[in-house]
Amino acid sequence: MSYTEIEYSVADRVATITLDRPERLNAFTYVMRGELIDAFDRADADDDVRAVVVTGRGRAFCAGADLERGAGTFDHDAVKDVPGEREVFADGVPRDGGGTVALRIARSLKPVIAAINGPAVGVGVTMTLPMDVRLAADGARFGFVFARRGIVTEAASSWFLPRLVGIAQAMEWSVTGRVFDADEALRGRLVSRLYPAEGLLDAAYELAGEIAANTSAVAVAAVRRLMWSGLSASSPWDAHRADSLLMRAFGAAPDAAEGVTAFLEKRPAEFPMRVGRDLPGDVPVWPGPDPTGAA
């Protein structure tokens, strides 16, 4: 698939997905939706990709949904002629486009690092919530502005945001709809660290490189699924069982033998297992099948 609204590249075992509509502050469209989903499919299918970095071209990360169509922007029936594929649930309810992207990112087998280089508003911030680490430029700004546009939080952010920042902070940002600065995002635990704009991508690549150089790809994929699925486990006993199943599967596998041997021999590990070939069947399927029958 060739892309028109994002750019996809791979170097040093790291895939970079760049939102690429700088003239529109990388505003989200249904075309971008399809391209993002395809890019994450592509990254998961490539065993040479060990981590994914997502950033924006120009001075914004993503300014939210493209509002060029005016008052009817969020009217599903009014935008049927807008380019880009739409999806519906089995009962005919149209799926929120941002949600299809968020759930595809949630399903990623590779760790995902957001390098938020500028304004991230609306779907521009909610799409980052299922990413594993959010790094931001110190001049970035954020906003869950939906209530100020007369709509509701989307992209499954009613599930992700309270789990990341707590219900009180999630409610404050969502019901005021105000735009806030990077320092507040850091204090509220929305982002992990701030950097000068010129150092942001280097920091993201350094983190991605640390993953690529030192860890088992299969173990990382399993840990990612364990962590995210564990957020909705009913008790630590459920997490204990999931851990135990995978400790049994991984303990007898080649990567565990190599990891221990390399440590004892004081050398870098060369893990032989590959995600596309060797991921154990006991790794949680998350997000699970949709109860309405949608993909």
Side-chain angles (χ1 to χ4, degrees):
M1 180 177 181
S2 60
Y3 302 131
T4 61
E5 297 193 0
I6 70 169
E7 181 183 276
Y8 180 92
S9 62
V10 178
D12 299 322
R13 295 189 289 176
V14 178
T16 301
I17 298 173
T18 304
L19 309 182
D20 194 15
R21 301 185 72 218
E23 73 287 352
R24 298 290 297 171
L25 299 181
N26 302 320
F28 183 88
T29 69
Y30 272 92
V31 170
M32 183 181 286
R33 181 206 81 91
E35 292 182 0
L36 283 168
I37 290 171
D38 186 83
F40 277 95
D41 288 347
R42 190 170 167 181
D44 269 357
D46 186 350
D47 280 338
D48 289 332
V49 169
R50 292 295 322 280
V52 180
V53 171
V54 183
T55 194
R57 176 93 60 215
R59 64 187 182 90
F61 179 78
C62 175
D66 194 320
L67 304 180
E68 188 174 23
R69 292 180 66 91
T73 294
F74 299 110
D75 182 342
H76 179 76
D77 293 328
V79 297
K80 286 182 177 177
D81 62 330
V82 174
E85 183 181 355
R86 279 137 181 84
E87 296 182 15
V88 298
F89 288 99
D91 58 3
V93 173
R95 295 185 71 185
D96 154 48
T100 62
V101 172
L103 292 179
R104 179 60 190 87
I105 296 170
R107 195 158 45 86
S108 174
L109 290 168
K110 313 296 171 70
V112 184
I113 302 164
I116 303 170
N117 55 299
V121 177
V123 68
V125 65
T126 57
M127 76 164 70
T128 73
L129 301 181
M131 299 181 191
D132 302 293
V133 180
R134 282 163 298 285
L135 309 178
D138 51 17
R141 294 176 66 78
F142 303 83
F144 298 89
V145 297
F146 308 101
R148 295 195 181 200
R149 307 292 180 264
I151 58 173
V152 299
T153 50
E154 44 65 86
S157 55
S158 60
W159 192 93
F160 286 106
L161 187 60
R163 285 166 170 78
L164 293 174
V165 305
I167 186 64
Q169 184 65 86
M171 283 296 295
E172 179 186 336
W173 284 338
S174 298
V175 301
T176 65
R178 63 182 172 81
V179 175
F180 52 94
D181 63 20
D183 287 330
E184 183 172 339
L186 181 64
R187 291 194 304 271
R189 298 182 299 167
L190 179 61
V191 300
S192 298
R193 290 183 291 282
L194 302 181
Y195 297 91
E198 62 273 15
L200 175 65
L201 269 178
D202 286 343
Y205 288 136
E206 182 178 358
L207 176 58
E210 183 177 3
I211 295 167
N214 298 298
T215 65
S216 155
V218 179
V220 167
V223 167
R224 188 180 197 275
R225 289 282 179 86
L226 283 170
M227 288 286 185
W228 281 106
S229 63
L231 288 177
S232 52
S234 60
S235 78
W237 298 108
D238 291 334
H240 174 53
R241 175 166 174 77
D243 296 345
S244 298
L245 286 168
L246 287 175
M247 284 299 293
R248 178 180 64 182
F250 276 85
D255 274 11
E258 169 61 10
V260 172
T261 301
F263 175 77
L264 293 175
E265 294 178 353
K266 296 181 173 57
R267 60 170 175 81
E270 296 181 6
F271 295 107
M273 296 172 69
R274 295 291 178 266
V275 172
R277 182 187 66 208
D278 301 314
L279 196 67
D282 288 323
V283 170
V285 176
W286 191 85
D290 192 287
T292 65

